[in-house]
Amino acid sequence: RNVIRRAKKMMGVQEPIANAAELPDPHTGLIVIGVDPAVQGKGYGSQLLQEFERVSRGLNFKKMMLTVRTQNEQAIRSYLRNGWETTKVEGASTTMEKQLN
């Protein structure tokens, strides 16, 4: 299915984004986020998270999820400061989520 989706994207065919209400467990997932070490600690990461939340709310999602390396304590602290909660720690991975009311 991903191969077909990528091929369509390469050809310029856009698939409609499903309305969150139509999905069985509607949530969005944050895959990759990063801030250049030279500018860390200046609030850019929080701005990226806030924008992700804004877009998720605009698509009517009620929950956001992510997985982060358990050893990445700086990122985990940032997520916690931005309202995320740890839901599972398994091996080297920590799963976090944030409910959108």
Side-chain angles (χ1 to χ4, degrees):
R1 187 165 59 173
N2 285 336
V3 172
I4 293 170
R5 188 176 304 142
R6 287 183 185 177
K8 285 181 178 180
K9 185 176 179 180
M10 288 172 53
M11 293 184 296
V13 177
Q14 292 185 337
E15 294 185 33
I17 297 174
N19 185 326
E22 299 171 6
L23 301 173
D25 180 23
H27 67 273
T28 57
L30 183 60
I31 306 299
V32 177
I33 186 173
V35 175
D36 188 308
V39 293
Q40 286 178 352
K42 298 184 187 296
Y44 296 118
S46 291
Q47 288 179 348
L48 290 170
L49 290 172
Q50 291 166 10
E51 179 64 9
F52 177 61
E53 182 173 335
R54 186 190 69 76
V55 170
S56 297
R57 283 181 193 277
L59 294 171
N60 297 317
F61 286 97
K62 303 296 181 209
K63 180 170 67 171
M64 303 181 303
M65 298 180 70
L66 63 84
T67 302
V68 62
R69 290 186 185 130
T70 303
Q71 68 188 26
N72 192 345
E73 295 172 6
Q74 183 177 359
I76 292 171
R77 282 193 307 271
S78 178
Y79 295 132
L80 292 171
R81 273 194 313 272
N82 283 279
W84 293 73
E85 297 180 3
T86 300
T87 56
K88 180 170 69 170
V89 178
E90 188 173 343
S93 295
T94 297
T95 302
M96 303 181 80
E97 63 182 54
K98 182 173 181 178
Q99 298 295 325
L100 303 174
N101 299 327

